[in-house]
Structures are given as C-alpha cells and as structure tokens.
Amino acid sequence: MTRLLRIRALAAVAAVAAWGGLSGAARTAAQEVCDRPWELEETLRLGSADGDGMLTYVRDLAIGPDGRVYLLQSWDPIRVFRPDGRPAGTMGRQGEGPGEWPVPLRGLGWRGDTLWVHHHLGTQFLSADGEEIRRVSFRIRLDGEGSHLNPGRPLPDGTFLPHRTANEDSHLFLKADRAALRRVSAAGEIIDTLAIVERHLGSYALEHETDRYGWGVMISHPLGPWSGESWLPVAATPDGSAVVLIGEVRDDREDASFDLLRIRFDGDTLLRRAVPYEPRPITRAEQSRQRERMAERLARGGSPWDTSNPERKRRIGRELISFPEYYPPVRRIVAGGDGSIWLLREAWPDPADVWEIYDENGRLEGSVRIEEPADHEDWDPRLRILRASRSEVWATTRGAFDVPYVHRYRVDRACR
C-alpha cells in the first residue's frame, strides 16, 4: 500500500503568506482567487506491488470512449483498466508487425473511436481491440538543428506535432537557446512553424564532446523545464487543438516576468500574458548537489555509453553541467482539458511543490501545494500530473519500494 500524499490547495493570501513560497503572480492576482483552499480528494488508485495491476513507469494516460483507462508505459504493453479500476488486460507488444511497436513509447490518445500511439519511429492508429488501422512513418533530417523529426502527436486536421530524435550533430540542438516547433504532414513534409520556443537553459545544456569523452548524448539540463513535444518545453491540449508554452523570461530582479502563451495548431496566438515572478538564485550548494546527482546518474549506467569505469563517469558528470544565475520560473506545463493551464513552479529545494492554475486568459485562479514524499528526487515532481482540469486530476506517484501508482483526484474548489 503506497503512502497517501498530503495535498492542500492554496488560494487565499493568508495561506500563501504563511508559507512564503508562492510567486509574485499569486500575490498580484490574489483578489481574483477564492479565499477557500482547494482540496484534492483521491477517488481511484491504479497499480499494485504485484499481480495483474502492477505497473512500470507510466509516461502518458488516455480515457477511452467507453471510460476505460489506457496507461502508456515506456517499455511495456499499454495497460488497460475498467472505469472502476479493475485490470482489463494489455494492448500491443514489442515488435515490428501489425499492432506491435518498437520501444520506448512516447504518447497516446484517442481520436473518436481510434487510439493513436507514437514512438521514435512513427505513429500507429489502432481500433479499440488493438487491431492496427494505419501507420505513419517518416524521417525529416534537420541539418542545422542536429536532429530528425518523426511523426508524433496527430492533430485534428490530420497533420502532426513531430517527435524529435538526435543525429550525430545533436549538440547543435542541445546548445541552442531556442528552437522551432513545427507542424508536419502525414507525407513527411514540413508545413509551417507554430512557434519559436525559448529553451531558457539551452546554452547551459550538457556538453556534447565526442572527441574528449569518446561519446556524445542528448540530455536536457536537469534544472530545465520538462521537455514535452519534440524535446521542447511545450504542452499540447488533450484534443490537440492548441499548445501551451512559456515564452520570453525576463529575470531582472526589479521587474521579472515570463510570458504565458497558448497557440492554436494553425498558428493563431490565443493567449499571451506576462506573469510576474521573483527570480530565485541558484546557490553554490545547489549547484554542487546537481553535479553530484548527474555524476551518480552516469555512474549507475543510465546511459548507452561506457559502463566499465564508474569513477571516470562520475568525474565527467561533474564537469558537464554549468548553471545560470537563476532557476527557470516554470518546471513543468500541463494543458488542462477544460482550457486551464497548470504550471509547476520553481519550488525546489523548498519542502513542497507548487502547481499554479491559470484560466484561459492567463489569470491565476489558485494553486496546489504538495509536501510529500520528502525523500523524492529533488527536481522531479512529487506529484507528476498527466491530465488535469478544474474538476479532476490524474497523476502518478511512487510508493514504498518505488512502486508506481496512478491516482485520480476530485478537485474541490468550493468557497466558504
């Protein structure tokens, strides 16, 4: 049995002031926020330590037309659960034949009665019983960006938000401060560019020095915003009609702000709003902690490179990372299914995570503070939200012995 998270939603100025960790945006928009804290009540839990309900790492989640829950696991078949949480089997398996796919899997969703799944080679469309209906596969080489584009998330008009893979010049992408989010056709042609996305920590990305170390790799900076669509800090709405992203970040201590944007898949900008915040310096102690974290990550063999000399890899891990003066203001973005925007703010190393919730016009509505578990990986979310709205949240946690669980929460936003 996994430990229950203690979750509180902070909406009142008094509650925020008592904690002292919420951003300037909450203080400036306090008059618009309900004075009663939101509450998240767990209504369903999926996963178990053994048996039919056991899960591995869950990357994505979708709800089928019949209410069944489909969980995308990176290296295992899709797990299916009935609406009441009972296991209902699996879908797909590793392979190259019809209804099979290479691993790792990246995302899934529903278009009417068709389930789509995308991976590093293409996107497959399946019927509810797992029969393959269609497969889209292509590879577009981007010489100036050190990467390739493959089919990714299908959009309502039949085009795609592509998935990015590295080529031998991946350092060109890693070190860039911005990159293009493109839209591509099913025939593998670039149609247009939806946005030029600020990467914020691009120039501080891990070095790619094949000549020096004997290998190269594509790894985002551990403090950078979560990489969503095409390795960029972009979140697509569940229906694929728009994307949400963070634009320019202005870290002037006197007037710091970041731009919150929503762009429709045809390129129209639906929202652009400057959100004020207080820049947080990255201390030397925090830099040292992150260097040690990367050193251990490489030493444990979590990479495709040489694993015969852990001490050498620890040294390389410490040398690879450099840091800006301030943390990026947003760690993760979730585009709500009801038009809301959920932002995980720069709470680390405070003893809590703070998700801020904004409406369609970019106005702060409330926030959720998550305090447990205390022994999580410092920059990783305590509660990793997969789907969200103002009424319901789906998220993953890890319990005792690192067992993964998926939770459904009801959101209580009633005011006193």
Side-chain angles (χ1 to χ4, degrees):
M1 194 73 165
T2 188
R3 176 174 49 184
L4 278 173
L5 290 174
R6 183 161 63 93
I7 301 176
R8 286 191 300 125
L10 302 181
V13 177
V16 172
W19 177 59
L22 207 56
S23 73
R27 292 189 288 276
T28 58
Q31 69 276 9
E32 303 174 12
V33 182
C34 174
D35 62 1
R36 180 183 186 276
W38 294 6
E39 295 180 358
L40 299 185
E41 176 189 355
E42 185 183 66
T43 59
L44 183 67
R45 184 183 303 187
L46 307 177
S48 64
D50 52 33
D52 293 342
M54 186 170 59
L55 302 174
T56 57
Y57 180 80
V58 176
R59 183 181 289 271
D60 204 355
L61 174 150
I63 308 298
D66 59 356
R68 294 193 177 199
V69 184
Y70 294 75
L71 302 181
L72 186 83
Q73 304 177 107
S74 292
W75 302 95
D76 294 298
I78 294 171
R79 294 302 311 274
V80 185
F81 290 84
R82 294 181 177 88
D84 62 4
R86 289 180 297 158
T90 63
M91 177 182 290
R93 62 182 180 180
Q94 182 178 356
E96 300 294 334
E100 300 177 337
W101 40 66
V103 292
L105 303 176
R106 300 294 182 182
L108 85 168
W110 285 87
R111 288 285 181 268
D113 59 358
T114 301
L115 177 70
W116 59 264
V117 179
H118 84 79
H119 41 75
H120 68 286
L121 294 182
T123 301
Q124 294 169 243
F125 297 84
L126 311 171
S127 63
D129 60 4
E131 181 180 354
E132 184 170 326
I133 300 171
R134 178 188 176 211
R135 181 179 302 205
V136 178
S137 181
F138 56 75
R139 194 183 197 198
I140 305 172
R141 182 180 176 89
L142 303 175
D143 289 319
E145 296 183 21
S147 54
H148 299 97
L149 298 182
N150 307 95
R153 179 183 299 271
L155 298 176
D157 67 345
T159 60
F160 293 81
L161 282 180
H163 169 68
R164 188 184 303 270
T165 56
N167 65 25
E168 64 276 10
D169 296 320
S170 60
H171 64 283
L172 296 176
F173 176 77
L174 280 173
K175 303 294 285 186
D177 288 322
R178 57 183 61 193
L181 177 67
R182 295 182 173 88
R183 188 165 62 105
V184 298
S185 72
E189 300 172 339
I190 295 177
I191 297 175
D192 54 22
T193 297
L194 297 182
I196 300 297
V197 181
E198 302 282 344
R199 302 192 61 233
H200 309 307
L201 283 180
S203 59
Y204 296 92
L206 305 189
E207 297 288 348
H208 179 291
E209 298 188 37
T210 303
D211 293 339
R212 180 178 179 186
Y213 299 129
W215 42 258
V217 68
M218 189 168 177
I219 300 180
S220 293
H221 197 289
L223 301 187
W226 172 71
S227 295
E229 304 295 337
S230 199
W231 272 73
L232 298 173
V234 173
T237 57
D239 63 1
S241 63
V243 295
V244 178
L245 62 147
I246 303 301
E248 182 182 359
V249 174
R250 296 165 286 272
D251 57 11
D252 180 2
R253 292 301 297 265
E254 300 301 320
D255 190 24
S257 65
F258 62 86
D259 289 339
L260 181 58
L261 295 98
R262 184 195 304 271
I263 299 174
R264 203 162 60 193
F265 77 88
D266 61 4
D268 286 349
T269 300
L270 305 177
L271 167 68
R272 181 187 294 271
R273 186 180 181 93
V275 178
Y277 81 106
E278 296 178 0
R280 295 192 49 172
I282 304 177
T283 68
R284 289 187 177 181
E286 292 162 4
Q287 292 181 25
S288 177
R289 180 172 177 174
Q290 289 298 330
R291 287 193 176 95
E292 291 304 317
R293 179 181 176 185
M294 179 55 62
E296 289 305 312
R297 177 180 176 183
L298 297 188
R300 288 196 302 265
S303 70
W305 326 304
D306 166 43
T307 60
S308 61
N309 192 335
E311 288 306 317
R312 176 176 177 267
K313 295 208 307 181
R314 285 190 180 92
R315 175 181 58 80
I316 292 171
R318 296 184 187 102
E319 294 175 353
L320 286 177
I321 309 177
S322 58
F323 297 88
E325 184 177 359
Y326 301 110
Y327 284 103
V330 176
R331 294 162 54 192
R332 192 177 180 96
I333 312 167
V334 174
D338 59 352
S340 59
I341 301 172
W342 295 61
L343 303 182
L344 179 59
R345 298 303 305 275
E346 69 288 15
W348 187 85
D350 285 340
D353 286 349
V354 176
W355 284 90
E356 292 182 348
I357 300 94
Y358 294 79
D359 68 11
E360 295 86 342
N361 298 311
R363 292 189 295 260
L364 182 68
E365 291 190 339
S367 57
V368 176
R369 183 182 180 188
I370 303 166
E371 298 178 345
E372 296 180 4
D375 57 351
H376 77 303
E377 290 279 355
D378 44 31
W379 194 246
D380 294 334
R382 287 173 168 86
L383 186 71
R384 188 166 57 89
I385 295 179
L386 300 177
R387 290 285 186 271
S389 70
R390 295 177 180 87
S391 60
E392 185 176 87
V393 169
W394 288 87
T396 66
T397 64
R398 288 189 174 273
F401 306 107
D402 215 28
V403 174
Y405 294 89
V406 172
H407 310 260
R408 182 184 65 196
Y409 299 100
R410 183 180 66 86
V411 182
D412 181 4
R413 299 188 303 125
C415 291
R416 297 184 188 276

